[in-house]
Amino acid sequence: DIDTLFKAAAQAALTKGVSPAEILHVGSSLTRDVAPAKKHGFRTALFAGDKNSLAATPDQLKDPALRPDVLLTELPQILEVIS
């Protein structure tokens, strides 16, 4: 499941000396991407530039457990976030 995947990714990063907080996970679904990544300590970004793949409601965006660290509307914005 997705939770197991993010847990394994966090552990793998730590074995390489990288904290999950140093990794930005970009996804288009709050429940399938952002929340599990956030739960395991990753920085998170919700990509809202593609309305067809975006899965987020206004109520979900208000929930601290689901709310991403960053909202992206265009992919080049990732460069601003990581620099």
Side-chain angles (χ1 to χ4, degrees):
D1 81 331
I2 195 72
D3 194 59
T4 302
L5 175 70
F6 279 105
K7 182 178 180 180
Q11 290 173 342
L14 288 170
T15 65
K16 304 278 187 200
V18 178
S19 164
E22 297 176 83
I23 300 170
L24 178 66
H25 175 79
V26 180
S28 60
S29 170
L30 285 178
T31 57
R32 289 190 317 266
D33 295 320
V34 174
K38 186 175 187 129
K39 175 182 173 184
H40 291 285
F42 293 88
R43 292 176 59 207
T44 57
L46 177 67
F47 178 61
D50 178 10
K51 303 296 185 228
N52 293 324
S53 66
L54 179 62
T57 67
D59 284 341
Q60 288 175 326
L61 286 169
K62 293 176 188 173
D63 183 343
L66 299 175
R67 186 174 41 241
D69 297 308
V70 179
L71 179 65
L72 305 173
T73 55
E74 297 179 5
L75 289 177
Q77 291 172 312
I78 293 171
L79 296 174
E80 296 170 22
V81 174
I82 62 172
S83 60

